[in-house]
Amino acid sequence: MKNIILLIFLAAALFTACSDDDNGTGTLKVHLTDAPATYDAVLIDLQGLKINASGDSTSESGWQNLTLDTMGQIDLLMLTNGNSILLTEDELPEGRINQMRMILGSNNEIVVDGDTLDLETPSAQQSGLKFNIHADIVDGETYSMTLDFDAEKSVINKGNGTYSLKPVIKVITE
């Protein structure tokens, strides 16, 4: 009887060791670009990118930080006419990305007629600029997207010499 129990235990251990629980990984590349605007500069203070991913029952779900290749103040108007910068190239477990958040710091500015002014970003520093993605990360594949930040439509002139940012971002997938 002990030999049968030992044999069952060894068979179960061998089966568990040989099963493939790894879900695999894919790569997510995120670029940033902008459409032309009538300002001298629109500077955003990029501090983070997060994704909300849902995988199968064995993978972690919820908000995850991405590793930034580019961080700090970025002049959106330098990213026009086909120019872009790579924000991140992260390896992620297979699964579905539902949303992304762009977290901005407090150093956001606009330059108008040579004057540098603060650019108010009401919710971008706390919860981030949130947009829907709905993309599947597949084992061995690279998923690329470009965040097309429209500075002209995103900057609101409040009429009293101040400006605020109400982001208009289009997600372009490849």
Side-chain angles (χ1 to χ4, degrees):
M1 184 68 166
K2 286 183 182 179
N3 288 341
I4 292 174
I5 293 173
L6 182 59
L7 186 59
I8 292 171
F9 177 75
L10 287 174
L14 182 62
F15 177 74
T16 302
C18 293
S19 67
D20 186 13
D21 288 339
D22 294 335
N23 289 333
T25 60
T27 303
L28 173 66
K29 292 173 91 170
V30 180
H31 288 85
L32 180 66
T33 192
D34 183 31
T38 57
Y39 308 105
D40 298 337
V42 177
L43 305 158
I44 61 167
D45 182 15
L46 180 64
Q47 294 299 308
L49 275 181
K50 295 181 177 189
I51 57 166
N52 188 305
S54 60
D56 64 16
S57 60
T58 63
S59 66
E60 182 181 281
S61 295
W63 289 101
Q64 301 170 32
N65 289 315
L66 297 175
T67 304
L68 290 178
D69 292 347
T70 302
M71 190 171 170
Q73 205 173 51
I74 299 168
D75 183 356
L76 293 174
L77 300 185
M78 298 301 291
L79 305 176
T80 61
N81 300 320
N83 293 321
S84 68
I85 57 171
L86 179 67
L87 297 181
T88 187
E89 184 173 349
D90 254 348
E91 191 171 297
L92 301 173
E94 283 185 302
R96 184 153 183 85
I97 299 172
N98 299 311
Q99 296 175 325
M100 182 176 285
R101 283 186 178 167
M102 180 184 289
I103 309 298
L104 299 181
S106 60
N107 196 19
N108 303 289
E109 299 172 319
I110 185 167
V111 181
V112 180
D113 297 326
D115 293 328
T116 302
L117 307 165
D118 287 335
L119 184 58
E120 297 173 18
T121 54
S123 67
Q125 294 159 5
Q126 291 82 27
S127 62
L129 312 172
K130 188 167 62 172
F131 35 95
N132 294 326
I133 301 294
H134 304 300
D136 292 314
I137 300 297
V138 178
D139 184 33
E141 297 291 323
T142 298
Y143 185 85
S144 294
M145 70 176 69
T146 299
L147 305 178
D148 188 357
F149 204 118
D150 191 332
E152 186 70 33
K153 292 180 181 175
S154 299
V155 174
I156 309 299
N157 183 345
K158 296 168 98 178
N160 59 0
T162 63
Y163 294 82
S164 64
L165 184 68
K166 186 174 181 180
V168 176
I169 301 172
K170 179 180 174 185
V171 179
I172 303 166
T173 59
E174 299 170 25

